[in-house]
Amino acid sequence: MTTPDTTRSPWALEAQGLGKKYRRGWALQDCSFRLPAGRICGLVGPNGAGKSTLLGLATRLVEATTGELRVFGVPVDSPDVMPRYAYLGQEKALFKRFTVAETLRMGQELNPHWDQAAAERIVRAGDVPSHARIGTLSGGQRTRVAFALAFGKRPDLLLLDEPMADLDPLARNEMSGLLMAEAAERGTTVLMSSHMLTELEDMCDYLLVISGGRVRMAGETEELLSLHKLVTGAREESGELPAGLAPHTVIENRTSGRQFTAMLRTEGPVYGDWQSMEPTLEEILLAYLRSPGTPPLLTPSAQCDRRAERAA
Amino acid sequence: MSTLTHAPDRAGSRHKSGPRPRGLVWLMLRQHRVMLLMVTALTVLGALWIVYQRGVALDAVHAAGWPEKPAAELSQRVLTPIQDRIGTMGFALSMLPIVLGVFCGAPLIAADQEQGTAQLVTTQSVPRRRWLAHKLGIGLIVALAPTVVLGFLHLWWWRAVSPFGDRNWLQGSVFDNTGPMLAALTLLTVVAGITIGLLARRVLLAMVVTFVFAVVSQLAWTWVPAMLATPHRASYPLNGDYPSGLTTAVEVDNWVSTASGELFGFGTCIEEKKYEACLADKGIVNRTIEYFSYDQMAVMQWTGAGILTAVSVSLIAFVVVRVGRRPL
């Protein structure tokens, strides 16, 4: 195990000025955020937003060009970090010629805190025969074995890259149930990416939105919801939004006929002759993605500014 | 916490009967099981074949009356098959560097990169450098185990039958496939295959490039052995017998020469009508030959093997540094 100080770090992930430049340009740029330990966090963004790059940086499969990333307070390039996270890649690579039992044996051989009983339980719950070769399994079964390998490692942080992407609805339901149960049992922090919010919405209590290589929104889903209002009302003659909305940040404003519909980041109560609704998470997300100029929103728990902290 | 500490113990106790491979060693043995079995089979069968054929050859010459009768007087019916068989083996062994480089070296890391298993293993609790060290270990075993065994057995066979035919040990079929040379050539192509695979990240591409590299390097190498030592020089009378001490030597050049040692081309005067007069006019009385003596063979082979190994080691260093610096 790592030193007691780092095991008690309240942050599963801390990024400070994190950036990755490939030959074709920046995949991730100037990312600073925090993910508090114990959260189930959805990493959402359009295709090519930099989600896989971020997960790659956290697993050292990608090397940062700028900035630093810490896992439970330990710099990600320290070997002490390795036993603390488990990673499940997009393609869920496993040795195709290994049997299920041999795959778990590999987990046991390569991980110091391996929990064979937990891994076997996950495999058995899906009726996956342990003598079957990985290459002969269905997509759902293979994902289950990959999950077993990830959970058998007993990670404190579980990183999942599009875990549900290639699963049918039944397997998807089964896997998310498994994920929630296992994570809840051990208080595992989960960071999972998807380009579809609906895929993650039910599971996540935290959200990290990336678009164009930058963090657009991060924080508790409840808090993100409570910070926004969807306001509908009659349009002013000038076409401008009513002056009464001025204290609030307008994320997006759409007009149809004589009506306007605006997504607001509220700064206090919204008064006026308008219909005000609680937006869904999806509506908020879409508003942010459609308006790249909007300043990013990070709730206090997601803000990472070490310099400010050191100064204080 | 109790489940955490107990589970691995229980799992561990199942494996306490006798020393079993653990950790990455287990993974390497399991992942490369088929390759290791094939290489082992190749080594064992090749070794048995050499021992058997050497015995057959010696039985044949003994039956024909050797050593009472000198080797030169044995019938070609006895000698030809002996030379044919060791010649075939030499050819088969000369394929080993290419075959092992293409089929074992090239996919060793490229296959893991292509199938994503490199990422799978290096996101367990195993640093990439340790994984790489074990991969290179497998590469070295596959390159060296069969070639060291077969190379030295082939040398042992060749030494036994060389009195009955071609004694030219500098030709590729003997020099490159006996003693340390076979292992050194194979090490180079296998390590080159691993390096090419690491850079190509695709199995098929790596295999094709490694094949081309192996063939080209084998061809280029044919120029090198004669440069690995300084040949001796000896002179003998123009009309005298070839010096008897040099029957095991390999002649690399010859001239006609004067008593003072001035050299003329081998064909000097041969087209003159007055051949004798031409020779007398130039003062040519000797033949001079340049040759490698048999005791230089081992020196030259070890020197050559040393050079190839140095190249291989620098390639390994490149791979280690690259994997250390850049993710797979």
Side-chain angles (χ1 to χ4, degrees):
Chain A
M1 275 273 172
T2 45
T3 52
D5 272 343
T6 61
T7 50
R8 267 190 267 125
S9 168
W11 315 107
L13 272 182
E14 288 170 278
Q16 177 72 60
L18 193 65
K20 171 66 193 176
K21 190 180 183 179
Y22 289 108
R23 226 171 289 166
R24 60 180 186 275
W26 289 90
L28 208 62
Q29 205 172 357
D30 200 24
C31 282
S32 300
F33 67 88
R34 265 174 176 166
L35 170 58
R39 296 294 190 155
I40 311 285
C41 178
L43 174 57
V44 187
N47 288 319
K51 304 186 295 289
S52 293
T53 302
L54 178 61
L55 291 173
L57 286 164
T59 50
R60 286 223 294 152
L61 295 172
V62 177
E63 211 159 13
T65 316
T66 60
E68 69 165 355
L69 184 64
R70 287 167 178 266
V71 177
F72 293 105
V74 185
V76 73
D77 51 4
S78 157
D80 294 340
V81 169
M82 299 204 79
R84 305 207 54 188
Y85 68 78
Y87 169 70
L88 193 54
Q90 223 160 355
E91 67 282 8
K92 299 176 188 89
L94 293 169
F95 289 101
K96 291 195 179 61
R97 292 205 195 89
F98 281 28
T99 64
V100 174
E102 283 168 337
T103 304
L104 298 189
R105 170 88 189 269
M106 179 189 74
Q108 185 182 0
E109 296 291 350
L110 302 184
N111 294 296
H113 311 302
W114 180 255
D115 186 342
Q116 181 74 10
E120 279 176 1
R121 188 180 65 233
I122 294 172
V123 167
R124 227 179 295 125
D127 281 327
V128 184
S130 70
H131 56 271
R133 290 193 189 274
I134 299 296
T136 64
L137 299 180
S138 70
Q141 287 176 317
R142 202 175 305 175
T143 304
R144 184 172 276 277
V145 176
F147 264 106
L149 192 60
F151 275 113
K153 193 176 173 182
R154 280 289 171 239
D156 298 317
L157 171 63
L158 186 58
L159 302 159
L160 309 167
D161 196 357
E162 308 257 356
M164 311 297 176
D166 52 354
L167 297 182
D168 60 64
L170 188 65
R172 188 174 297 192
N173 184 267
E174 214 176 274
M175 285 307 131
S176 50
L178 173 70
L179 178 63
M180 295 312 283
E182 293 289 332
E185 194 185 312
R186 290 198 66 248
T188 314
T189 313
V190 179
L191 177 62
M192 54 181 154
S193 74
S194 175
H195 57 275
M196 282 167 56
L197 179 65
T198 44
E199 218 172 75
L200 305 177
E201 210 173 0
D202 306 336
M203 289 185 265
C204 298
D205 58 5
Y206 214 82
L207 203 62
L208 179 59
V209 178
I210 293 187
S211 172
R214 291 175 186 272
V215 176
R216 299 299 312 281
M217 190 159 56
E220 298 84 347
T221 46
E222 291 302 316
E223 200 167 336
L224 292 174
L225 282 171
S226 70
L227 281 173
H228 293 88
K229 282 271 187 298
L230 196 60
V231 178
T232 310
R235 197 158 63 102
E236 302 268 302
E237 285 305 313
S238 61
E240 307 259 314
L241 278 178
L245 294 174
H248 312 290
T249 311
V250 179
I251 308 299
E252 191 188 33
N253 174 26
R254 296 204 284 178
T255 52
S256 63
R258 298 183 53 206
Q259 275 217 326
F260 75 88
T261 307
M263 177 69 71
L264 300 181
R265 188 193 298 170
T266 54
E267 317 281 343
V270 180
Y271 302 108
D273 187 20
W274 309 295
Q275 248 190 332
S276 170
M277 288 190 315
E278 298 286 333
T280 63
L281 209 49
E282 176 105 22
E283 283 167 333
I284 299 174
L285 177 74
L286 286 174
Y288 272 82
L289 293 182
R290 279 193 294 248
S291 321
T294 324
L297 169 63
L298 278 78
T299 67
S301 71
Q303 285 167 15
C304 178
D305 195 348
R306 285 181 163 258
R307 269 161 298 180
E309 256 169 44
R310 273 190 216 115
Chain B
M1 219 36 209
S2 65
T3 51
L4 262 181
T5 47
H6 285 157
D9 283 353
R10 254 190 295 121
S13 63
R14 278 188 298 153
H15 303 296
K16 274 190 181 139
S17 53
R20 277 166 150 268
R22 307 306 318 256
L24 278 168
V25 176
W26 174 85
L27 179 65
M28 292 299 122
L29 293 178
R30 173 60 194 90
Q31 188 190 350
H32 300 296
R33 191 165 66 187
V34 176
M35 182 174 84
L36 290 170
L37 282 174
M38 301 271 274
V39 169
T40 308
L42 180 89
T43 310
V44 171
L45 292 177
L48 290 175
W49 181 249
I50 289 176
V51 172
Y52 170 71
Q53 286 298 341
R54 183 181 177 276
V56 167
L58 288 181
D59 284 350
V61 291
H62 281 300
W66 185 83
E68 289 76 26
K69 208 157 127 191
E73 288 172 26
L74 296 179
S75 126
Q76 281 305 312
R77 271 226 317 268
V78 177
L79 298 183
T80 307
I82 292 176
Q83 291 309 317
D84 284 353
R85 285 198 193 115
I86 196 164
T88 308
M89 191 63 182
F91 177 75
L93 290 179
S94 69
M95 293 293 118
L96 265 187
I98 299 173
V99 169
L100 291 177
V102 169
F103 290 101
C104 300
L108 194 71
I109 290 177
D112 283 287
Q113 289 178 305
E114 191 174 276
Q115 286 155 25
T117 44
Q119 300 195 342
L120 173 71
V121 174
T122 55
T123 51
Q124 306 298 312
S125 309
V126 174
R128 326 192 261 279
R129 273 221 168 125
R130 262 188 59 215
W131 175 74
L132 176 72
H134 285 76
K135 277 279 176 181
L136 290 173
I138 287 287
L140 293 188
I141 289 170
V142 165
L144 295 179
T147 52
V148 167
V149 171
L150 297 179
F152 281 94
L153 279 175
H154 188 229
L155 180 63
W156 176 63
W157 181 12
W158 179 80
R159 277 189 183 143
V161 302
S162 66
F164 310 110
D166 195 352
R167 286 170 180 274
N168 181 359
W169 48 261
L170 196 58
Q171 60 182 324
S173 66
V174 179
F175 190 87
D176 291 346
N177 299 320
T178 55
M181 276 303 305
L182 182 62
L185 280 167
T186 308
L187 180 66
L188 178 65
T189 54
V190 169
V191 170
I194 293 172
T195 313
I196 291 165
L198 178 72
L199 299 176
R201 311 173 68 95
R202 298 271 176 282
V203 174
L204 195 63
L205 176 63
M207 286 170 79
V208 171
V209 177
T210 304
F211 176 76
V212 172
F213 170 86
V215 170
V216 170
S217 64
Q218 299 279 75
L219 287 177
W221 178 256
T222 56
W223 299 95
V224 181
M227 293 188 259
L228 292 173
T230 315
H232 301 303
R233 200 173 268 192
S235 296
Y236 60 95
L238 197 57
N239 298 316
D241 287 332
Y242 197 78
S244 61
L246 297 185
T247 48
T248 57
V250 177
E251 194 180 303
V252 286
D253 211 344
N254 56 25
W255 301 269
V256 286
S257 56
T258 66
S260 63
E262 196 188 343
L263 300 177
F264 292 93
F266 177 72
T268 307
C269 294
I270 221 126
E271 300 199 335
E272 296 284 327
K273 283 176 191 152
K274 295 170 182 170
Y275 176 62
E276 301 291 338
C278 171
L279 290 180
D281 182 43
K282 293 192 158 69
I284 293 170
V285 291
N286 283 336
R287 285 189 190 283
T288 297
I289 60 168
E290 214 170 57
Y291 65 96
F292 291 110
S293 61
Y294 181 62
D295 58 16
Q296 285 179 293
M297 177 179 177
V299 178
M300 289 164 72
Q301 283 193 321
W302 283 101
T303 309
I307 291 169
L308 291 171
T309 305
V311 177
S312 306
V313 168
S314 43
L315 280 177
I316 291 174
F318 168 78
V319 169
V320 169
V321 169
R322 169 150 175 130
V323 170
R325 288 217 185 119
R326 294 182 58 170
L328 290 157

